[in-house]
Amino acid sequence: MSEKNYLTTDYTLKSWFLTTDHKRIAILYFASLIFFFFIGGAAATAIRIELATPQADLVSSDIYNRLFTMHGIIMVWFFLIPSIPNTLGNFIVPLMIGARDLAFPRLNLMSWYIFMLGGCTTLFAIFAGGVDTGWTFYTPFSTLYSNSYVIVAAAGVFIAGFSSILTGLNFIVTIHRLRAPGLTWYRLPLFLWSLYATSVILVLATPVLAITLILIATERFFGVGIFDPRIGGDPLLFQHLFWFYSHPAVYIMILPGMGVINELVSCYSRKQVFGYKFVAWASLAIAAVGFLVWGHHMFVSGQSLVASLVFSFMSFIVAVPSAIKVFNWTATLHKGSIHFDAPMLYALAFIGLFTIGGLTGLFLACLAFDVHATDTYFVVAHFHYIMVGGMVTAYFGGLHYWWPKMTGRHYSEYWARTAAVLIFFGFNLTFFPQFILGAEGMPRRYHVYPPEFQVWNVLSSGGAAILAVAYLMPLLYLGYSAFFGARASANPWNATGLEWQTSSPPPEFNFTTQPVVTRAPYQYNGDFQAEPQNA
Amino acid sequence: MTQWRPPLPLVGAWLGLLALLALTVTLAYVPLGTGNSVVALSIGTIKAGLVAAIFMELRHRSGLTLIFAGAGLFWLGILLWLGLMDFMTRT
């Protein structure tokens, strides 16, 4: 077989850096995100080493502030938000709908350049001196007191926001306009429903963040009274504007993850997704209700009690569509022909970790408990369960699932399963003790703490060490498989979906003939036969 | 080659926005109490409407485009409504 695919059409650097092929752009994003993930991970490692003992052994308080800020900024804006949409989404969306490319291929390439410009600007801020405001840039610290590179870092995030908006726009138009004949809305794979909902959030919420960051710069540079009460501003206005984006941003992270899990659970239990329409509309419901709950980040900020009560109530409502998804995955698994391949292990890990993260979110939505738990490790554990336990696990699951499609090669199933189990174990050992630390009152963002907290911190740091190794493993075995893995067929998992109807890796324009869809998605009949892997 | 001229509706809308900006600034110095916020928000709404209708050319659009633009305005309304709810009920 010597037919050219998207990887072998041209080998020059120019062909990669000026490509408009969505698959190559996905690979560019993939490489960039690995880079940012390990920078953010290095900061996390330093933080956990520091916290292994109650004293300040490793870094000063000033450096510690910069470390957790760097970890937050890089991980949130340059890994978690773009990871699934920009790598897996970019690669899979046109394939899943039977299109040659995204609707705006050049805009897609531009999005990557904008993303890299934003990333490099933020990295410059971090390495030129660092930022100590926390990833939230809360005023008045960020506008009045911090002497760090706040404006440069905020500018980086501001620039990266445009990449998000453009990608969201591209996905919305693509899903509307370029679907293959017969691919009606209710025949769309649920991954696309979730990416569609994500894209709507990206387009509607990201501009608010951009405006907020401009307002910080305006106040800091020109002394215009926006957030500073001494000159007529309102400090809580910043938090309103910031969380209006940043709470939906959690759904930008988790919704695509949920989309991936639909594909995995269905494929590896050989069953149709239970309650397809409910799951599809739950994505849109989460996207919509997710806009109404930002004030639960502000219960102790000084906002009015009326506002807190309203936001608390609405935060409980957002749990409903999330729970629909979890129940429907469980129902899909019920009496399924379950195969514990690596992607499925990640999917099961996701369901467990997301459920714990979601339920502890209800704790925090409860006004009385939140007052006790605000700014403690309980919050840290909660959002890591959602964003890392949930989203990163889904990302890894999706990456393994579509890896044969992306590279045309199989990875080592043995090492992949080992890594998946280690990630699950390491993650829980890292973050579950933090729930206990938080409940006992250990505040977040402190680099020294009373000795009675040390046992749980040592457990957490030990878990982080396991997690670090487990995160390195896919880099090694996936990297190895990309060059030396066994060849994969067009459809190694015997899965449904248009992306499996073209060769692995796909040709430059995806399909040699226009596919036509004649049936609903996920029509499995228990016939799993994975191809043999190289060990 | 035809001579390019700026489209009149755009110039008109731009001048209208400048006039409304001047009105906003002027009225900010008139002590109206809570009326200041009402006036400022009303003028802001007119300005947003002008930008949406003329610069974004929504007056010539229909269907899905209007739904998306409407959704944007709807979410903006939610932001303002819930944000103001805190501001107006704070003790």
Side-chain angles (χ1 to χ4, degrees):
Chain A
M1 189 189 78
S2 61
E3 199 179 314
K4 291 218 166 194
N5 59 56
Y6 83 98
L7 290 169
T8 55
T9 45
D10 198 342
Y11 293 98
T12 60
L13 273 180
K14 186 181 162 192
S15 74
W16 276 92
F17 287 108
L18 293 179
T19 182
T20 52
D21 184 345
H22 66 100
K23 301 181 288 300
R24 284 194 165 203
I25 295 170
I27 301 295
L28 290 176
Y29 270 116
F30 179 55
S32 323
L33 291 182
I34 291 173
F35 173 69
F36 286 119
F37 181 72
F38 281 101
I39 290 182
T45 307
I47 290 168
R48 279 316 324 168
I49 293 173
E50 168 59 54
L51 290 176
T53 61
Q55 311 84 24
D57 304 303
L58 186 67
V59 292
S60 66
S61 56
D62 200 36
I63 298 291
Y64 186 81
N65 291 344
R66 284 165 161 76
L67 274 177
F68 73 69
T69 303
M70 166 177 157
H71 171 67
I73 291 177
I74 294 287
M75 284 304 202
V76 169
W77 276 302
F78 298 101
F79 179 73
L80 291 170
I81 286 178
S83 56
I84 293 184
N86 291 14
T87 53
L88 299 179
N90 244 327
F91 199 97
I92 297 299
V93 167
L95 290 167
M96 263 190 171
I97 62 171
R100 287 161 61 95
D101 207 317
L102 287 172
F104 307 118
R106 289 196 187 92
L107 197 69
N108 195 22
L109 178 65
M110 195 168 103
S111 303
W112 180 73
Y113 276 104
I114 292 173
F115 173 75
M116 289 309 292
L117 180 64
C120 292
T121 308
T122 303
L123 280 184
F124 169 75
I126 284 167
F127 290 110
V131 185
D132 58 359
T133 59
W135 75 279
T136 52
F137 298 117
Y138 271 3
T139 58
F141 188 61
S142 59
T143 47
L144 274 181
Y145 301 109
S146 172
N147 292 320
S148 58
Y149 283 70
V150 178
I151 298 300
V152 184
V157 174
F158 174 78
I159 294 167
F162 283 93
S163 168
S164 289
I165 295 169
L166 296 179
T167 302
L169 197 68
N170 219 340
F171 283 172
I172 289 172
V173 177
T174 304
I175 293 171
H176 270 283
R177 309 292 297 181
L178 300 184
R179 281 175 283 134
L183 189 57
T184 59
W185 281 91
Y186 284 139
R187 285 179 180 170
L188 275 184
L190 288 162
F191 182 53
L192 295 181
W193 274 94
S194 67
L195 275 183
Y196 185 83
T198 307
S199 302
V200 171
I201 303 176
L202 283 170
V203 171
L204 289 176
T206 315
V208 181
L209 177 78
I211 291 165
T212 311
L213 297 174
I214 285 185
L215 291 176
I216 286 187
T218 309
E219 181 160 305
R220 212 174 148 108
F221 279 143
F222 305 113
V224 178
I226 300 163
F227 305 122
D228 183 356
R230 290 177 311 174
I231 44 178
D234 177 8
L236 287 198
L237 178 62
F238 175 82
Q239 293 192 33
H240 278 298
L241 294 173
F242 178 82
W243 287 114
F244 188 79
Y245 165 79
S246 295
H247 187 76
V250 176
Y251 301 107
I252 295 173
M253 298 170 208
I254 203 69
L255 272 169
M258 291 170 155
V260 169
I261 298 307
N262 290 315
E263 307 300 317
L264 303 185
V265 166
S266 179
C267 175
Y268 291 99
S269 55
R270 313 313 286 175
K271 274 183 69 189
Q272 201 166 2
V273 173
F274 180 85
Y276 170 93
K277 287 184 183 175
F278 279 92
V279 179
W281 284 99
S283 290
L284 293 184
I286 290 171
V289 184
F291 272 100
L292 310 177
V293 301
W294 78 85
H296 69 217
H297 294 268
M298 299 169 61
F299 285 160
V300 299
S301 68
Q303 78 174 355
S304 79
L305 186 60
V306 175
S308 292
L309 289 171
V310 171
F311 282 121
S312 173
F313 173 71
M314 288 192 291
S315 302
F316 280 95
I317 293 177
V318 82
V320 176
S322 308
I324 287 175
K325 286 182 178 265
V326 174
F327 286 130
N328 284 23
W329 293 324
T330 317
T332 308
L333 290 167
H334 180 60
K335 290 191 176 175
S337 171
I338 296 173
H339 296 264
F340 293 103
D341 286 48
M344 184 58 158
L345 293 180
Y346 281 111
L348 294 174
F350 173 95
I351 295 173
L353 300 177
F354 175 76
T355 304
I356 295 176
L359 289 175
T360 49
L362 288 178
F363 285 41
L364 293 170
C366 183
L367 199 48
F369 181 82
D370 185 80
V371 171
H372 170 73
T374 292
D375 275 337
T376 68
Y377 264 83
F378 192 93
V379 179
V380 176
H382 156 69
F383 71 71
H384 277 87
Y385 261 83
I386 295 284
M387 288 151 65
V388 185
M391 192 265 132
V392 176
T393 311
Y395 179 58
F396 274 56
L399 192 62
H400 284 76
Y401 178 59
W402 282 301
W403 188 257
K405 181 57 59 185
M406 294 167 80
T407 61
R409 304 272 187 171
H410 279 296
Y411 49 81
S412 159
E413 188 61 37
Y414 170 79
W415 285 110
R417 288 183 193 182
T418 309
V421 171
L422 268 183
I423 284 176
F424 183 73
F425 178 70
F427 179 85
N428 277 300
L429 189 58
T430 306
F431 292 104
F432 200 84
Q434 295 184 10
F435 280 126
I436 298 162
L437 281 170
E440 289 184 350
M442 177 165 163
R444 63 194 282 205
R445 298 187 172 128
Y446 280 43
H447 78 315
V448 292
Y449 54 83
E452 61 261 33
F453 292 139
Q454 190 177 10
V455 173
W456 298 114
N457 271 301
V458 167
L459 283 176
S460 185
S461 295
I466 295 171
L467 200 54
V469 173
Y471 278 147
L472 277 170
M473 284 170 62
L475 190 70
L476 299 176
Y477 66 76
L478 287 181
Y480 176 84
S481 82
F483 298 98
F484 307 109
R487 296 273 179 192
S489 70
N491 189 359
W493 315 125
N494 212 358
T496 65
L498 290 181
E499 78 270 30
W500 302 107
Q501 289 185 19
T502 187
S503 56
S504 302
E508 189 177 2
F509 294 109
N510 296 346
F511 297 94
T512 44
T513 53
Q514 167 83 68
V516 176
V517 180
T518 55
R519 55 183 188 165
Y522 312 118
Q523 299 284 314
Y524 289 107
N525 49 12
D527 55 342
F528 188 80
Q529 186 57 59
E531 287 177 352
Q533 330 270 305
N534 59 330
Chain B
M1 201 176 91
T2 52
Q3 186 83 30
W4 183 84
R5 276 189 228 150
L8 277 180
L10 294 189
V11 177
W14 178 63
L15 290 174
L17 285 172
L18 286 181
L20 287 169
L21 176 65
L23 188 65
T24 311
V25 175
T26 311
L27 289 176
Y29 288 98
V30 180
L32 300 172
T34 49
N36 277 111
S37 304
V38 176
V39 167
L41 284 172
S42 305
I43 298 175
T45 308
I46 297 169
K47 283 197 274 194
L50 264 180
V51 170
I54 311 286
F55 286 105
M56 294 167 71
E57 298 194 351
L58 287 178
R59 65 198 167 126
H60 299 310
R61 303 286 169 222
S62 60
L64 208 56
T65 314
L66 281 186
I67 290 176
F68 268 81
L73 287 175
F74 180 68
W75 296 126
L76 182 65
I78 284 175
L79 173 63
L80 291 173
W81 166 52
L82 288 174
L84 279 175
M85 181 188 65
D86 162 41
F87 185 72
M88 289 178 354
T89 55
R90 224 182 274 166
T91 49

mmCIF file of all heavy atoms in Angstrom, chain A residues 305-339:
data_model
loop_
_atom_site.group_PDB
_atom_site.id
_atom_site.type_symbol
_atom_site.label_atom_id
_atom_site.label_comp_id
_atom_site.label_asym_id
_atom_site.label_seq_id
_atom_site.Cartn_x
_atom_site.Cartn_y
_atom_site.Cartn_z
ATOM 1 N N LEU A 305 -26.395 39.126 49.511
ATOM 2 C CA LEU A 305 -26.938 37.826 49.903
ATOM 3 C C LEU A 305 -27.959 37.339 48.879
ATOM 4 O O LEU A 305 -28.019 36.147 48.550
ATOM 5 C CB LEU A 305 -27.588 37.933 51.288
ATOM 6 C CG LEU A 305 -28.066 36.615 51.897
ATOM 7 C CD1 LEU A 305 -26.926 35.637 52.063
ATOM 8 C CD2 LEU A 305 -28.757 36.861 53.229
ATOM 9 N N VAL A 306 -28.733 38.285 48.331
ATOM 10 C CA VAL A 306 -29.729 37.920 47.311
ATOM 11 C C VAL A 306 -29.025 37.258 46.128
ATOM 12 O O VAL A 306 -29.419 36.183 45.655
ATOM 13 C CB VAL A 306 -30.511 39.174 46.845
ATOM 14 C CG1 VAL A 306 -31.449 38.815 45.697
ATOM 15 C CG2 VAL A 306 -31.276 39.779 47.994
ATOM 16 N N ALA A 307 -27.954 37.899 45.656
ATOM 17 C CA ALA A 307 -27.218 37.351 44.516
ATOM 18 C C ALA A 307 -26.668 35.968 44.865
ATOM 19 O O ALA A 307 -26.754 35.031 44.061
ATOM 20 C CB ALA A 307 -26.087 38.294 44.123
ATOM 21 N N SER A 308 -26.125 35.826 46.070
ATOM 22 C CA SER A 308 -25.550 34.538 46.461
ATOM 23 C C SER A 308 -26.614 33.451 46.462
ATOM 24 O O SER A 308 -26.371 32.329 46.003
ATOM 25 C CB SER A 308 -24.920 34.627 47.852
ATOM 26 O OG SER A 308 -23.784 35.460 47.810
ATOM 27 N N LEU A 309 -27.797 33.772 46.973
ATOM 28 C CA LEU A 309 -28.868 32.774 47.017
ATOM 29 C C LEU A 309 -29.292 32.361 45.607
ATOM 30 O O LEU A 309 -29.482 31.180 45.317
ATOM 31 C CB LEU A 309 -30.073 33.322 47.797
ATOM 32 C CG LEU A 309 -29.863 33.446 49.313
ATOM 33 C CD1 LEU A 309 -31.015 34.207 49.950
ATOM 34 C CD2 LEU A 309 -29.725 32.064 49.947
ATOM 35 N N VAL A 310 -29.426 33.359 44.724
ATOM 36 C CA VAL A 310 -29.826 33.065 43.341
ATOM 37 C C VAL A 310 -28.781 32.183 42.658
ATOM 38 O O VAL A 310 -29.101 31.172 42.036
ATOM 39 C CB VAL A 310 -30.041 34.377 42.553
ATOM 40 C CG1 VAL A 310 -30.237 34.089 41.070
ATOM 41 C CG2 VAL A 310 -31.239 35.130 43.108
ATOM 42 N N PHE A 311 -27.517 32.554 42.828
ATOM 43 C CA PHE A 311 -26.451 31.784 42.173
ATOM 44 C C PHE A 311 -26.334 30.385 42.776
ATOM 45 O O PHE A 311 -26.026 29.424 42.075
ATOM 46 C CB PHE A 311 -25.118 32.521 42.280
ATOM 47 C CG PHE A 311 -24.990 33.652 41.296
ATOM 48 C CD1 PHE A 311 -24.775 34.961 41.715
ATOM 49 C CD2 PHE A 311 -25.074 33.417 39.932
ATOM 50 C CE1 PHE A 311 -24.656 36.000 40.813
ATOM 51 C CE2 PHE A 311 -24.956 34.452 39.020
ATOM 52 C CZ PHE A 311 -24.745 35.750 39.458
ATOM 53 N N SER A 312 -26.566 30.279 44.073
ATOM 54 C CA SER A 312 -26.511 28.963 44.711
ATOM 55 C C SER A 312 -27.589 28.056 44.124
ATOM 56 O O SER A 312 -27.322 26.914 43.730
ATOM 57 C CB SER A 312 -26.713 29.125 46.223
ATOM 58 O OG SER A 312 -26.816 27.875 46.845
ATOM 59 N N PHE A 313 -28.799 28.597 44.016
ATOM 60 C CA PHE A 313 -29.919 27.812 43.470
ATOM 61 C C PHE A 313 -29.614 27.360 42.038
ATOM 62 O O PHE A 313 -29.784 26.192 41.684
ATOM 63 C CB PHE A 313 -31.195 28.659 43.516
ATOM 64 C CG PHE A 313 -32.362 28.023 42.833
ATOM 65 C CD1 PHE A 313 -32.998 26.915 43.384
ATOM 66 C CD2 PHE A 313 -32.833 28.513 41.622
ATOM 67 C CE1 PHE A 313 -34.072 26.318 42.750
ATOM 68 C CE2 PHE A 313 -33.903 27.913 40.983
ATOM 69 C CZ PHE A 313 -34.525 26.818 41.543
ATOM 70 N N MET A 314 -29.124 28.300 41.231
ATOM 71 C CA MET A 314 -28.894 27.957 39.825
ATOM 72 C C MET A 314 -27.741 26.965 39.673
ATOM 73 O O MET A 314 -27.709 26.170 38.727
ATOM 74 C CB MET A 314 -28.662 29.215 39.007
ATOM 75 C CG MET A 314 -29.961 29.996 38.853
ATOM 76 S SD MET A 314 -29.920 31.295 37.653
ATOM 77 C CE MET A 314 -28.838 32.459 38.421
ATOM 78 N N SER A 315 -26.797 26.997 40.615
ATOM 79 C CA SER A 315 -25.678 26.044 40.539
ATOM 80 C C SER A 315 -26.155 24.617 40.738
ATOM 81 O O SER A 315 -25.585 23.676 40.187
ATOM 82 C CB SER A 315 -24.616 26.380 41.591
ATOM 83 O OG SER A 315 -24.159 27.693 41.394
ATOM 84 N N PHE A 316 -27.201 24.463 41.544
ATOM 85 C CA PHE A 316 -27.750 23.116 41.710
ATOM 86 C C PHE A 316 -28.411 22.643 40.422
ATOM 87 O O PHE A 316 -28.375 21.464 40.081
ATOM 88 C CB PHE A 316 -28.766 23.092 42.858
ATOM 89 C CG PHE A 316 -28.114 23.021 44.213
ATOM 90 C CD1 PHE A 316 -27.880 24.164 44.955
ATOM 91 C CD2 PHE A 316 -27.707 21.803 44.722
ATOM 92 C CE1 PHE A 316 -27.252 24.096 46.186
ATOM 93 C CE2 PHE A 316 -27.083 21.727 45.962
ATOM 94 C CZ PHE A 316 -26.855 22.876 46.694
ATOM 95 N N ILE A 317 -29.015 23.594 39.692
ATOM 96 C CA ILE A 317 -29.719 23.214 38.459
ATOM 97 C C ILE A 317 -28.754 22.647 37.419
ATOM 98 O O ILE A 317 -29.088 21.709 36.694
ATOM 99 C CB ILE A 317 -30.480 24.431 37.886
ATOM 100 C CG1 ILE A 317 -31.612 24.800 38.841
ATOM 101 C CG2 ILE A 317 -31.053 24.124 36.505
ATOM 102 C CD1 ILE A 317 -32.375 26.028 38.426
ATOM 103 N N VAL A 318 -27.537 23.194 37.358
ATOM 104 C CA VAL A 318 -26.604 22.738 36.317
ATOM 105 C C VAL A 318 -26.186 21.290 36.542
ATOM 106 O O VAL A 318 -25.692 20.615 35.637
ATOM 107 C CB VAL A 318 -25.381 23.687 36.226
ATOM 108 C CG1 VAL A 318 -24.348 23.361 37.273
ATOM 109 C CG2 VAL A 318 -24.764 23.646 34.841
ATOM 110 N N ALA A 319 -26.415 20.809 37.766
ATOM 111 C CA ALA A 319 -26.075 19.404 38.040
ATOM 112 C C ALA A 319 -27.015 18.452 37.296
ATOM 113 O O ALA A 319 -26.660 17.301 37.051
ATOM 114 C CB ALA A 319 -26.146 19.129 39.537
ATOM 115 N N VAL A 320 -28.213 18.942 36.927
ATOM 116 C CA VAL A 320 -29.202 18.039 36.332
ATOM 117 C C VAL A 320 -28.739 17.485 34.976
ATOM 118 O O VAL A 320 -28.657 16.260 34.803
ATOM 119 C CB VAL A 320 -30.585 18.728 36.225
ATOM 120 C CG1 VAL A 320 -31.584 17.829 35.509
ATOM 121 C CG2 VAL A 320 -31.100 19.089 37.611
ATOM 122 N N PRO A 321 -28.404 18.356 34.006
ATOM 123 C CA PRO A 321 -27.937 17.782 32.735
ATOM 124 C C PRO A 321 -26.634 17.004 32.875
ATOM 125 O O PRO A 321 -26.414 16.030 32.136
ATOM 126 C CB PRO A 321 -27.760 19.004 31.819
ATOM 127 C CG PRO A 321 -27.756 20.189 32.709
ATOM 128 C CD PRO A 321 -28.525 19.826 33.931
ATOM 129 N N SER A 322 -25.771 17.420 33.826
ATOM 130 C CA SER A 322 -24.526 16.657 34.036
ATOM 131 C C SER A 322 -24.859 15.252 34.531
ATOM 132 O O SER A 322 -24.261 14.263 34.088
ATOM 133 C CB SER A 322 -23.631 17.352 35.064
ATOM 134 O OG SER A 322 -23.433 18.696 34.712
ATOM 135 N N ALA A 323 -25.831 15.183 35.438
ATOM 136 C CA ALA A 323 -26.214 13.873 35.975
ATOM 137 C C ALA A 323 -26.868 13.014 34.899
ATOM 138 O O ALA A 323 -26.661 11.798 34.855
ATOM 139 C CB ALA A 323 -27.156 14.043 37.150
ATOM 140 N N ILE A 324 -27.629 13.661 34.001
ATOM 141 C CA ILE A 324 -28.238 12.908 32.889
ATOM 142 C C ILE A 324 -27.154 12.151 32.138
ATOM 143 O O ILE A 324 -27.286 10.965 31.830
ATOM 144 C CB ILE A 324 -28.970 13.871 31.925
ATOM 145 C CG1 ILE A 324 -30.265 14.367 32.576
ATOM 146 C CG2 ILE A 324 -29.272 13.198 30.588
ATOM 147 C CD1 ILE A 324 -30.993 15.419 31.762
ATOM 148 N N LYS A 325 -26.042 12.848 31.891
ATOM 149 C CA LYS A 325 -24.973 12.202 31.125
ATOM 150 C C LYS A 325 -24.400 11.015 31.887
ATOM 151 O O LYS A 325 -24.219 9.932 31.324
ATOM 152 C CB LYS A 325 -23.877 13.212 30.815
ATOM 153 C CG LYS A 325 -24.293 14.185 29.732
ATOM 154 C CD LYS A 325 -23.184 15.140 29.398
ATOM 155 C CE LYS A 325 -23.568 16.086 28.301
ATOM 156 N NZ LYS A 325 -23.153 15.661 26.971
ATOM 157 N N VAL A 326 -24.106 11.221 33.166
ATOM 158 C CA VAL A 326 -23.487 10.137 33.934
ATOM 159 C C VAL A 326 -24.429 8.938 34.006
ATOM 160 O O VAL A 326 -24.015 7.789 33.793
ATOM 161 C CB VAL A 326 -23.107 10.624 35.349
ATOM 162 C CG1 VAL A 326 -22.608 9.457 36.198
ATOM 163 C CG2 VAL A 326 -22.027 11.688 35.268
ATOM 164 N N PHE A 327 -25.706 9.193 34.280
ATOM 165 C CA PHE A 327 -26.667 8.079 34.351
ATOM 166 C C PHE A 327 -26.770 7.375 33.000
ATOM 167 O O PHE A 327 -26.874 6.138 32.934
ATOM 168 C CB PHE A 327 -28.045 8.589 34.782
ATOM 169 C CG PHE A 327 -28.104 8.935 36.253
ATOM 170 C CD1 PHE A 327 -28.610 10.158 36.685
ATOM 171 C CD2 PHE A 327 -27.642 8.044 37.209
ATOM 172 C CE1 PHE A 327 -28.654 10.478 38.031
ATOM 173 C CE2 PHE A 327 -27.687 8.362 38.564
ATOM 174 C CZ PHE A 327 -28.189 9.583 38.970
ATOM 175 N N ASN A 328 -26.734 8.144 31.922
ATOM 176 C CA ASN A 328 -26.882 7.521 30.607
ATOM 177 C C ASN A 328 -25.651 6.709 30.206
ATOM 178 O O ASN A 328 -25.778 5.698 29.530
ATOM 179 C CB ASN A 328 -27.222 8.572 29.548
ATOM 180 C CG ASN A 328 -28.667 9.006 29.655
ATOM 181 O OD1 ASN A 328 -29.275 8.880 30.718
ATOM 182 N ND2 ASN A 328 -29.239 9.505 28.582
ATOM 183 N N TRP A 329 -24.469 7.152 30.638
ATOM 184 C CA TRP A 329 -23.279 6.315 30.384
ATOM 185 C C TRP A 329 -23.402 5.011 31.159
ATOM 186 O O TRP A 329 -23.078 3.939 30.655
ATOM 187 C CB TRP A 329 -21.988 7.037 30.810
ATOM 188 C CG TRP A 329 -21.676 8.225 29.984
ATOM 189 C CD1 TRP A 329 -21.893 8.385 28.653
ATOM 190 C CD2 TRP A 329 -21.099 9.455 30.440
ATOM 191 N NE1 TRP A 329 -21.481 9.632 28.250
ATOM 192 C CE2 TRP A 329 -20.983 10.304 29.312
ATOM 193 C CE3 TRP A 329 -20.647 9.924 31.668
ATOM 194 C CZ2 TRP A 329 -20.458 11.588 29.398
ATOM 195 C CZ3 TRP A 329 -20.115 11.200 31.752
ATOM 196 C CH2 TRP A 329 -20.029 12.021 30.623
ATOM 197 N N THR A 330 -23.840 5.136 32.394
ATOM 198 C CA THR A 330 -23.982 3.929 33.212
ATOM 199 C C THR A 330 -25.001 2.984 32.571
ATOM 200 O O THR A 330 -24.777 1.766 32.495
ATOM 201 C CB THR A 330 -24.459 4.302 34.632
ATOM 202 O OG1 THR A 330 -23.722 5.444 35.062
ATOM 203 C CG2 THR A 330 -24.246 3.173 35.604
ATOM 204 N N ALA A 331 -26.111 3.555 32.086
ATOM 205 C CA ALA A 331 -27.130 2.732 31.441
ATOM 206 C C ALA A 331 -26.591 2.124 30.148
ATOM 207 O O ALA A 331 -26.963 0.996 29.781
ATOM 208 C CB ALA A 331 -28.373 3.565 31.154
ATOM 209 N N THR A 332 -25.717 2.840 29.458
ATOM 210 C CA THR A 332 -25.112 2.290 28.238
ATOM 211 C C THR A 332 -24.237 1.084 28.586
ATOM 212 O O THR A 332 -24.227 0.077 27.875
ATOM 213 C CB THR A 332 -24.268 3.361 27.522
ATOM 214 O OG1 THR A 332 -25.063 4.532 27.345
ATOM 215 C CG2 THR A 332 -23.761 2.870 26.188
ATOM 216 N N LEU A 333 -23.506 1.200 29.698
ATOM 217 C CA LEU A 333 -22.633 0.092 30.109
ATOM 218 C C LEU A 333 -23.449 -1.135 30.528
ATOM 219 O O LEU A 333 -22.998 -2.275 30.342
ATOM 220 C CB LEU A 333 -21.763 0.526 31.298
ATOM 221 C CG LEU A 333 -20.674 1.549 31.008
ATOM 222 C CD1 LEU A 333 -20.123 2.118 32.309
ATOM 223 C CD2 LEU A 333 -19.556 0.907 30.215
ATOM 224 N N HIS A 334 -24.639 -0.885 31.037
ATOM 225 C CA HIS A 334 -25.455 -1.980 31.586
ATOM 226 C C HIS A 334 -25.721 -3.049 30.525
ATOM 227 O O HIS A 334 -26.242 -2.763 29.455
ATOM 228 C CB HIS A 334 -26.779 -1.399 32.106
ATOM 229 C CG HIS A 334 -27.693 -2.424 32.686
ATOM 230 N ND1 HIS A 334 -27.354 -3.209 33.756
ATOM 231 C CD2 HIS A 334 -28.942 -2.806 32.343
ATOM 232 C CE1 HIS A 334 -28.348 -4.020 34.049
ATOM 233 N NE2 HIS A 334 -29.322 -3.798 33.201
ATOM 234 N N LYS A 335 -25.340 -4.265 30.843
ATOM 235 C CA LYS A 335 -25.502 -5.416 29.954
ATOM 236 C C LYS A 335 -24.755 -5.252 28.624
ATOM 237 O O LYS A 335 -25.126 -5.875 27.630
ATOM 238 C CB LYS A 335 -26.981 -5.702 29.686
ATOM 239 C CG LYS A 335 -27.710 -6.244 30.915
ATOM 240 C CD LYS A 335 -29.078 -6.751 30.564
ATOM 241 C CE LYS A 335 -29.728 -7.367 31.793
ATOM 242 N NZ LYS A 335 -31.096 -7.771 31.562
ATOM 243 N N GLY A 336 -23.740 -4.383 28.631
ATOM 244 C CA GLY A 336 -22.937 -4.222 27.427
ATOM 245 C C GLY A 336 -21.873 -5.303 27.344
ATOM 246 O O GLY A 336 -21.567 -5.961 28.338
ATOM 247 N N SER A 337 -21.310 -5.478 26.159
ATOM 248 C CA SER A 337 -20.186 -6.397 25.993
ATOM 249 C C SER A 337 -18.916 -5.576 26.210
ATOM 250 O O SER A 337 -18.298 -5.083 25.271
ATOM 251 C CB SER A 337 -20.235 -6.984 24.581
ATOM 252 O OG SER A 337 -19.078 -7.704 24.319
ATOM 253 N N ILE A 338 -18.545 -5.441 27.495
ATOM 254 C CA ILE A 338 -17.520 -4.445 27.852
ATOM 255 C C ILE A 338 -16.110 -4.980 27.607
ATOM 256 O O ILE A 338 -15.785 -6.107 27.994
ATOM 257 C CB ILE A 338 -17.684 -4.019 29.329
ATOM 258 C CG1 ILE A 338 -19.040 -3.322 29.502
ATOM 259 C CG2 ILE A 338 -16.559 -3.099 29.759
ATOM 260 C CD1 ILE A 338 -19.402 -3.013 30.922
ATOM 261 N N HIS A 339 -15.297 -4.162 26.947
ATOM 262 C CA HIS A 339 -13.904 -4.523 26.660
ATOM 263 C C HIS A 339 -13.003 -3.504 27.333
ATOM 264 O O HIS A 339 -13.110 -2.316 27.054
ATOM 265 C CB HIS A 339 -13.660 -4.550 25.156
ATOM 266 C CG HIS A 339 -14.458 -5.603 24.475
ATOM 267 N ND1 HIS A 339 -13.957 -6.844 24.171
ATOM 268 C CD2 HIS A 339 -15.743 -5.621 24.068
ATOM 269 C CE1 HIS A 339 -14.889 -7.579 23.605
ATOM 270 N NE2 HIS A 339 -15.989 -6.854 23.525
#
